[in-house]
Amino acid sequence: MTTSTAQASPNIALIKYWGNRDHFLRIPSNSSLSMNLDGLVSRTQVSFDPGLEADRLTLNEQEIIGPALQRVSVLLERVRGMAGLKQFANVTSSNNFPIGTGIASSASAFAALTVAATAAAGLKLTTQELSRLARTASGSACRSIPAGFVEWQAGQDDADSYAFSIAPPDHWDLGDCIAITSETHKPVGSTEGHTLADSSPLQAARVATTPQRLAQCRRAVLERDFDALADVVELDANMMHAVMITSAPPLLYWQPATLAVMHAVQDWRSSGLPVCYTIDAGPNVHVLCPGEKVDLVAARLRQIPGVNDVLTAHPGGGAHCLPAC
Ligand code: PMV
């Protein structure tokens, strides 16, 4: 029996991934850029065991069956194929961030699973190969493999669609204050959401103009230019949500408290506080600010009616084995 444990953090996209050119391999319609979130962690142990008759998954101490187990097994099947292994695996995973808060855990979960499963199978893969493999399980998981500020080049096919670090975590202390506005599960998850993107008449315009926003965002990160970052991050999130709202069927993830936070952030920025928002496929709002403003921004967010909690994070490292593999 071979066992390995790995951990990974979720990431917040500054330039969003929405829609695939190839849904099976998760080759995205556009490139994206993100920051790993330090302090929020998924930890996963994988043991390939000759005594098992099927893969098993325990998540936050609960045995999981059905589609979630199936999704894990698909990734394990790829790993078994690469390693020439026949044994099934026992997968045990936990998150240190509160579950049910609507913080997407699939990126950190599948990045940790990819690193733990390949190590347990005896494979020695490069960061690029790990990123490509994680991408097939959850697109954004490919961005949780490298450290810090990360770009996912869309590429044309499996070989050239992977993420790489453009700057390490200590390059820029950018803070993320996550305003939790709802704890209910989202009605339509991102895997299904991606299949609806092309039904919006706005998706083609969004995809065609992403390279400009990506270049602006990359420059803002490399030059630590918060004002430039704020403009492009909000524009890009708004464009993704415009696509969501105009797809068939429409996806409207915002709740009243989501809008209250968006308005507050714009007011604060107009009065000189460096803040901006971005929102994923859910009602919670990620409020970005320079690291030294995190406590102030989190305290202000807690005052907004409908904000149930605020989690805070700074730039984080990449996925890795515990101890190092
Ligand atoms: O990786 P997925 O399939 O969970 O998609 C992530 C989609 C967004 O979070 C909305 C945007 C992004 O780039 O992370």
Side-chain angles (χ1 to χ4, degrees), residues 11 13 15-18 26 32 71 106 138-141 143 190-191 194 240 244 279-281:
N11 63 77
I15 297 295
K16 304 296 187 188
Y17 149 53
W18 195 246
R26 296 179 203 260
S32 54
R71 201 165 161 191
S106 70
S138 166
S140 57
R143 297 189 310 234
S190 46
T191 297
H194 291 296
M240 180 183 73
M244 291 166 160
I279 305 165
D280 281 339

Side-chain angles (χ1 to χ4, degrees), residues 91-239:
V91 177
T92 310
S93 189
S94 60
N95 297 325
N96 77 343
F97 47 102
I99 53 163
T101 50
I103 300 301
S105 53
S106 70
S108 51
F110 282 108
L113 176 67
T114 300
V115 172
T118 51
L123 293 167
K124 295 246 179 293
L125 301 187
T126 62
T127 304
Q128 193 183 107
E129 288 165 332
L130 288 166
S131 178
R132 284 171 47 207
L133 187 57
R135 187 204 73 234
T136 63
S138 166
S140 57
C142 80
R143 297 189 310 234
S144 281
I145 298 281
F149 297 86
V150 172
E151 184 171 330
W152 173 10
Q153 66 173 32
Q156 301 294 322
D157 55 29
D158 178 56
D160 65 356
S161 185
Y162 57 83
F164 52 89
S165 178
I166 62 162
D170 63 3
H171 164 72
W172 189 17
D173 183 16
L174 194 61
D176 183 7
C177 302
I178 311 164
I180 310 295
T181 60
S182 167
E183 306 197 345
T184 52
H185 270 284
K186 46 191 175 189
V188 176
S190 46
T191 297
E192 193 184 339
H194 291 296
T195 68
L196 304 178
D198 286 330
S199 69
S200 163
L202 305 184
Q203 171 74 346
R206 190 191 73 85
V207 169
T209 53
T210 301
Q212 287 136 258
R213 290 190 302 283
L214 181 68
Q216 277 172 35
C217 185
R218 188 193 299 119
R219 192 192 59 74
V221 167
L222 294 178
E223 294 177 5
R224 304 181 191 92
D225 180 344
F226 189 87
D227 291 343
L229 185 84
D231 289 341
V232 74
V233 163
E234 282 187 8
L235 172 63
D236 193 78
N238 291 343
M239 287 190 73

